[in-house]
Amino acid sequence: MASKHQWEIASPEPVAAGRLVTALGISPLLAQCLVNRGVTDPDLAARFLEPRLKQLADPFLLPNMRVAIDRLFKARESGETITIFGDYDVDGITSTALLKVSLEKLGWKVRHYLPHRMDDGYGLSREAVEKCLENCTNTMFLAVDCGSTNTESITWLGEKGVDVLVLDHHQVVDPAPPALAIVNPQLAADGEPCFRELCSAGLAFKMLHAVVKEGRTRGDEAMADFDLRPYLDFVALGTVADQVPLTGENRILVDSGLNRLSETIRPGLIALKEVALTKPEVGVYEVGFQLGPRLNAAGRLESADAALDLLLAPDAGAAQRLAREIDEQNKERQSTQKEITDHLIDGLRLRFDPEKDFAIVEGQAHWHLGVVGIVAGRVKDEFYRPAIVLGGDGSLLRGSGRSVQGFDLAAALRECDDLLIDHGGHAMASGLTMEPGKLDAFRERFNQVARQHMEGVVSQPTLRIDAETTLYELTMARLRELEGLQPTGQSNPAVQLIIRNLELQRPPFRMGQDQRHAKLHVTDGAITTEAVMWNVPEGETPEGRFDLAAAASINEFRGRTSVQLKVLDWRVAGS
């Protein structure tokens, strides 16, 4: 069987890795993994392996933070109410919760508004802003996780005498919207400190840091002993769920935030962990696959207010009720998502032409807007093409896109601007709105843009392998050492290794619902190690002598601890 990936094995760097081995006393394997991640300086490597909050940079180095903080303090002094206008995904919800709770505690008058995915459109839309102002007259908006492309809405608010601060990480339109201040790392000039890895939850923490720092400078007693660390649970949730790079300051924030999340005393997060059956020690997996999807489900199917209310729940009773509610919404989301995904992928398999189809664009008015982004991701994974999936929004189509490595989705949509009503996002994920009658023209144009950028590019996903190793080296001690690279995620992937010339020590054992998974026992003739393959069809497990691409981990089951390999791909030995 041909491998499903293009294997890209990192070239050994014995000199650079050797310096780290000598300076830090680490193994050559860990040193090579650090070099693969661009960490070659011993001092930086030491900081990477032991991230600390004291390593965070001055928040005022972010573009326009000074203007934003001065306006916030002016609002507190004059008794103005600030409207925090968030977004309906986990990043938007957690950053809204963080700022609402902290600013209220520090003396600001705060209200919040989360747009409704089906009713209010994408981002800081005019419809949502008008609806928000119907219930409360405001002179100040703080747009969080949105606003960088909403020129019309911000102009309209300015005409109404409303100052707008934007705290966002998405790409900014040119010219930028006329907000009083846009705190967005995308605006940093060349040579200035770069915080582009941060999502809005991280930026919200930076803004809170700037508020406290400014307050202490002004002699504000409320700020003197204010502890920012309890808010890092929100930051970890938003950062991991938004799938931004776990490098730079994100690595520091998530490392500390996951510890806070594991020990949280917030009733809402305790209840959420209970319904998700999350283990006590929360890691990236638990956020990405258990907690995050449930918080997202509320905004996908109904209103994100239920998720925000859960994070802000004052007691266990309210929290447990809300947690059960969004858990049921998540089950409904899973069912709706599976129905659309299965229908779409089955149809595409019949007509997809890899020689002509450089991108996939599909839309149906009856598809649920709340799941089209997830479906686009599944389609992208199945065919390894940029994929856009749209559902019905009244008389319009609205949807989401997911991209493959090397293809800037947001830039491609700008080349189709005349066919779209609205669009925004970043290189790997974007949203858009269009008239149904322009779907075919958009599909053709988008495919042309993809062809220009992707022709000649490998049409298989790349599997980046850190190093070649042996079963003998994969001891418990070695895996404990490699855990120093955690938290792993975007731009800091889990360690992926190649182990050559193996065979099965016994036939595969089928397990799980519908026998979809397989447990293997692989051997090099001297050592036998357990391996698992998830969602593997019959006939696709290794046979004969083979090379294995795998991620190694420590498996704990029923009090027994062992080394376990997760199979990523395999191929005939020596091929």
Side-chain angles (χ1 to χ4, degrees):
M1 188 192 85
S3 62
K4 295 183 177 181
H5 300 80
Q6 181 80 15
W7 291 22
E8 184 179 287
I9 305 171
S11 299
E13 298 278 356
V15 175
R19 282 197 297 268
L20 298 181
V21 170
T22 301
L24 304 178
I26 59 178
S27 70
L29 180 57
L30 176 57
Q32 179 65 45
C33 291
L34 286 166
V35 172
N36 294 346
R37 286 151 182 76
V39 184
T40 57
D41 178 82
D43 290 338
L44 293 178
R47 290 167 57 128
F48 187 92
L49 294 172
E50 295 189 14
R52 295 288 183 266
L53 291 173
K54 65 182 180 181
Q55 297 164 3
L56 294 174
D58 184 347
F60 284 102
L61 294 175
L62 277 158
N64 304 310
M65 183 67 87
R66 167 52 62 192
V67 176
I69 296 303
D70 286 346
R71 183 64 181 88
L72 282 172
F73 273 88
K74 179 182 176 183
R76 192 179 71 158
E77 291 163 3
S78 61
E80 293 175 77
T81 297
I82 300 170
T83 293
I84 299 176
F85 188 106
D87 196 15
Y88 40 62
D89 67 1
V90 179
D91 189 26
I93 295 165
T94 53
S95 49
T96 299
L98 189 159
L99 289 170
K100 178 178 173 61
V101 173
S102 60
L103 291 179
E104 283 183 339
K105 189 171 183 179
L106 290 170
W108 272 267
K109 296 179 180 178
V110 180
R111 64 187 290 260
H112 69 270
Y113 184 90
L114 295 181
H116 193 287
R117 186 184 291 265
M118 266 60 79
D119 297 340
D120 293 334
Y122 180 78
L124 187 71
S125 69
R126 176 75 174 269
E127 297 86 349
V129 167
E130 290 183 5
K131 189 186 299 184
C132 181
L133 287 180
E134 284 177 3
N135 300 320
C136 179
T137 301
N138 258 91
T139 54
M140 185 175 172
F141 262 53
L142 174 54
V144 179
D145 200 35
C146 59
S148 292
T149 63
N150 300 108
T151 300
E152 180 193 358
S153 300
I154 293 174
T155 300
W156 182 81
L157 283 168
E159 292 169 352
K160 297 287 184 181
V162 178
D163 286 341
V164 179
L165 306 179
V166 172
L167 185 71
D168 191 21
H169 67 114
H170 297 101
Q171 293 182 8
V172 184
V173 294
D174 186 14
L180 179 67
I182 300 178
V183 181
N184 187 324
Q186 302 290 341
L187 295 176
D190 290 342
E192 292 184 348
C194 180
F195 299 92
R196 289 183 181 169
E197 74 276 7
L198 294 174
C199 65
S200 295
L203 291 171
F205 186 82
K206 299 292 285 187
M207 176 169 274
L208 176 59
H209 186 188
V211 164
V212 172
K213 187 172 184 177
E214 177 66 14
R216 289 171 179 170
T217 300
R218 297 184 181 205
D220 191 316
E221 292 183 3
M223 313 284 184
D225 299 318
F226 188 84
D227 189 356
L228 287 81
R229 293 172 296 177
Y231 299 91
L232 287 165
D233 50 5
F234 289 146
V235 181
L237 271 173
T239 301
V240 174
D242 217 47
Q243 298 184 27
V244 289
L246 293 189
T247 57
E249 297 215 339
N250 278 345
R251 177 170 174 78
I252 301 169
L253 295 170
V254 170
D255 182 70
S256 295
L258 290 174
N259 291 330
R260 290 277 169 177
L261 195 51
S262 298
E263 301 169 358
T264 186
I265 60 172
R266 299 187 198 280
L269 290 178
I270 293 172
L272 180 63
K273 290 196 291 184
E274 287 174 353
V275 297
L277 303 178
T278 302
K279 67 181 185 180
E281 186 177 339
V282 178
V284 170
Y285 173 85
E286 287 72 28
V287 174
F289 292 93
Q290 296 178 334
L291 305 180
R294 285 170 170 80
L295 290 173
N296 261 330
R300 291 187 184 282
L301 299 184
E302 300 289 340
S303 165
D305 286 330
L308 181 59
D309 290 344
L310 174 63
L311 296 184
L312 303 177
D315 56 65
Q320 289 166 1
R321 176 182 58 79
L322 288 163
R324 288 193 296 268
E325 178 184 328
I326 69 169
D327 191 49
E328 287 302 314
Q329 289 175 330
N330 188 53
K331 292 174 183 175
E332 181 183 351
R333 186 271 304 170
Q334 289 172 324
S335 175
T336 302
Q337 169 195 321
K338 185 178 186 303
E339 180 182 346
I340 298 173
T341 301
D342 290 350
H343 170 78
L344 180 52
I345 288 180
D346 287 347
L348 283 168
R349 283 176 179 152
L350 297 175
R351 63 181 187 273
F352 176 73
D353 185 346
E355 301 298 321
K356 296 180 180 178
D357 297 327
F358 290 85
I360 295 172
V361 176
E362 296 291 330
Q364 295 286 343
H366 64 276
W367 287 347
H368 198 294
L369 288 176
V371 300
V372 291
I374 303 175
V375 174
R378 298 288 187 270
V379 172
K380 180 265 295 181
D381 291 342
E382 178 72 21
F383 298 97
Y384 199 64
R385 294 290 189 274
I388 291 176
V389 179
L390 303 108
D393 182 14
S395 62
L396 302 174
L397 289 176
R398 183 153 57 89
S400 295
R402 299 292 182 268
S403 194
V404 298
Q405 199 66 39
F407 183 74
D408 189 329
L409 189 57
L413 291 179
R414 287 196 290 271
E415 295 190 47
C416 305
D417 186 75
D418 57 305
L419 297 173
L420 303 174
I421 294 172
D422 191 21
H423 60 90
H426 44 82
M428 300 303 289
S430 292
L432 66 161
T433 304
M434 70 168 65
E435 296 172 4
K438 294 184 178 180
L439 179 61
D440 290 340
F442 172 73
R443 181 186 291 113
E444 183 176 350
R445 172 89 63 81
F446 190 73
N447 194 61
Q448 289 174 352
V449 173
R451 177 191 294 271
Q452 292 168 7
H453 290 279
M454 297 186 63
E455 201 159 21
V457 175
V458 174
S459 59
Q460 281 184 308
T462 299
L463 183 61
R464 292 182 170 84
I465 296 172
D466 282 292
E468 182 176 341
T469 189
T470 63
L471 296 180
Y472 178 79
E473 183 170 15
L474 295 178
T475 62
M476 298 285 287
R478 181 65 63 243
L479 297 188
R480 296 283 187 205
E481 183 192 43
L482 291 176
E483 286 179 348
L485 296 170
Q486 294 181 5
T488 55
Q490 293 292 319
S491 300
N492 179 35
V495 175
Q496 299 181 157
L497 303 165
I498 181 172
I499 310 162
R500 297 190 187 276
N501 207 26
L502 302 176
E503 60 183 349
L504 295 182
Q505 188 256 357
R506 67 187 80 163
F509 171 74
R510 284 280 163 178
M511 59 184 186
Q513 186 178 9
D514 302 324
Q515 304 292 285
R516 291 182 301 169
H517 315 307
K519 180 183 289 185
L520 315 175
H521 291 82
V522 299
T523 182
D524 57 9
I527 296 174
T528 299
T529 302
E530 182 181 279
V532 293
M533 295 184 76
W534 304 115
N535 298 307
V536 56
E538 289 283 355
E540 294 190 10
T541 53
E543 54 189 22
R545 299 200 74 83
F546 54 86
D547 296 337
L548 199 67
S553 63
I554 297 172
N555 182 47
E556 298 179 4
F557 184 66
R558 293 179 179 174
R560 176 175 173 264
T561 303
S562 63
V563 174
Q564 187 180 73
L565 304 176
K566 182 178 77 171
V567 177
L568 306 171
D569 201 2
W570 69 275
R571 64 188 184 190
V572 175
S575 62

